[in-house]
Amino acid sequence: MTGPKKGSRGRAPKRNTAQGRGGATRDTSAPVRDRTPRAEGEGAKGETRPAAPRGGAGRSGTGNANQRGGTNPARRSGGGRTAGPGGGEGGFNPATGRKSPPKVAKKPLPELKRVQLDAPPSETVFRDRDGERLTFPDSNLKRVAAHILTERRKAWRYRPFSFPLFTDKGNEQAFHFDFYIYDAEDSVIRLLLVVPYESREVWDRVGRFKRQYPMYTYELWTPERLAQLSRPRAQLGF
């Protein structure tokens, strides 16, 4: 006997089938792998969707493509920043993540102007405060210094005694100044060291002397200082 079953009211029995938008079910829609490119462009209501641009900024984005490829566009050059036309900008160091400082060209040190001193003849004899006769045939600077002190009528002696200096290791060294200036009471008021130029070794000894004998006043007489004191109206200051 044909026809609908009794009690069905002419309808097929309901199935527990999941429905999507528009009433489409899994049975009525084709699987994703079976769809054709034309079917993918069709919407739910028969409208055609625009295809995503190739290589454009889609959902994945350029960043995801770079992540899949494992390359960073900032590091494609390999060396990072390079020096500009003037060479002022340094290169980028990937190890520290900082830019190396620019290279500065070393400027040559200025040449010191040599001072021309009018030194007395090498056979000139000088007398100290005790009347002892002294000559300085091997040093033009000492002859100029002795000449200045004699003209200004200063009581001086040449290296009458030494000062013991103790080094950082505890060793003892003898240190001499060249000219010792005395007052009327036979007290040392000034110590003069005549040097052709200031050096680290000289300042090392002078600094050690200043720390161990702070009660004495000293001066370094260089050629520049001697040229200033040789002027007619120059003042010694003692």
Side-chain angles (χ1 to χ4, degrees):
M1 185 175 180
T2 61
K5 294 182 181 181
K6 186 178 181 179
S8 62
R9 295 181 182 180
R11 297 181 180 178
K14 296 182 179 181
R15 299 179 181 178
N16 294 331
T17 305
Q19 297 181 358
R21 294 181 181 180
T25 61
R26 186 177 301 178
D27 297 338
T28 59
S29 60
V32 177
R33 61 179 180 269
D34 296 339
R35 291 184 182 181
T36 60
R38 183 176 180 180
E40 292 181 357
E42 297 179 359
K45 295 182 180 181
E47 298 179 356
T48 304
R49 297 181 183 179
R54 296 182 180 179
R59 292 184 179 180
S60 59
T62 309
N64 296 337
N66 292 334
Q67 292 179 2
R68 291 195 301 269
T71 58
N72 190 348
R75 297 184 180 179
R76 288 179 180 177
S77 58
R81 295 184 179 181
T82 57
E89 185 179 359
F92 181 79
N93 189 354
T96 59
R98 297 181 180 179
K99 184 174 62 176
S100 58
K103 295 182 180 181
V104 181
K106 295 183 179 180
K107 297 181 179 180
L109 296 177
E111 296 182 359
L112 298 177
K113 296 182 179 180
R114 296 183 179 180
V115 179
Q116 299 294 335
L117 298 176
D118 188 8
S122 59
E123 64 274 6
T124 304
V125 179
F126 302 95
R127 294 180 181 270
D128 62 0
R129 68 182 299 275
D130 300 328
E132 185 178 353
R133 300 164 62 91
L134 296 173
T135 59
F136 306 98
D138 299 333
S139 177
N140 295 337
L141 299 180
K142 292 179 182 179
R143 289 200 303 272
V144 174
H147 179 70
I148 294 174
L149 295 176
T150 302
E151 279 191 344
R152 308 300 171 84
R153 296 181 181 181
K154 299 298 181 179
W156 57 272
R157 287 178 179 173
Y158 179 75
R159 295 189 175 185
F161 57 89
S162 63
F163 292 93
L165 297 180
F166 295 94
T167 62
D168 298 336
K169 296 181 180 180
N171 301 328
E172 182 178 346
Q173 296 178 350
F175 181 62
H176 283 88
F177 283 87
D178 294 321
F179 295 93
Y180 295 57
I181 312 303
Y182 294 83
D183 59 2
E185 299 179 357
D186 200 18
S187 299
V188 178
I189 60 174
R190 195 66 54 107
L191 301 170
L192 306 179
L193 182 62
V194 181
V195 292
Y197 55 88
E198 298 179 6
S199 63
R200 182 176 181 180
E201 181 180 359
V202 171
W203 279 113
D204 182 51
R205 292 192 177 185
V206 171
R208 189 177 293 112
F209 170 83
K210 183 179 180 179
R211 292 191 299 269
Q212 298 181 15
Y213 301 93
M215 70 289 298
Y216 289 98
T217 305
Y218 63 90
E219 293 182 10
L220 294 181
W221 279 15
T222 59
E224 292 78 13
R225 179 61 175 168
L226 292 173
Q228 296 176 358
L229 297 177
S230 299
R231 298 174 182 175
R233 297 182 182 180
Q235 301 293 331
L236 295 181
F238 54 85

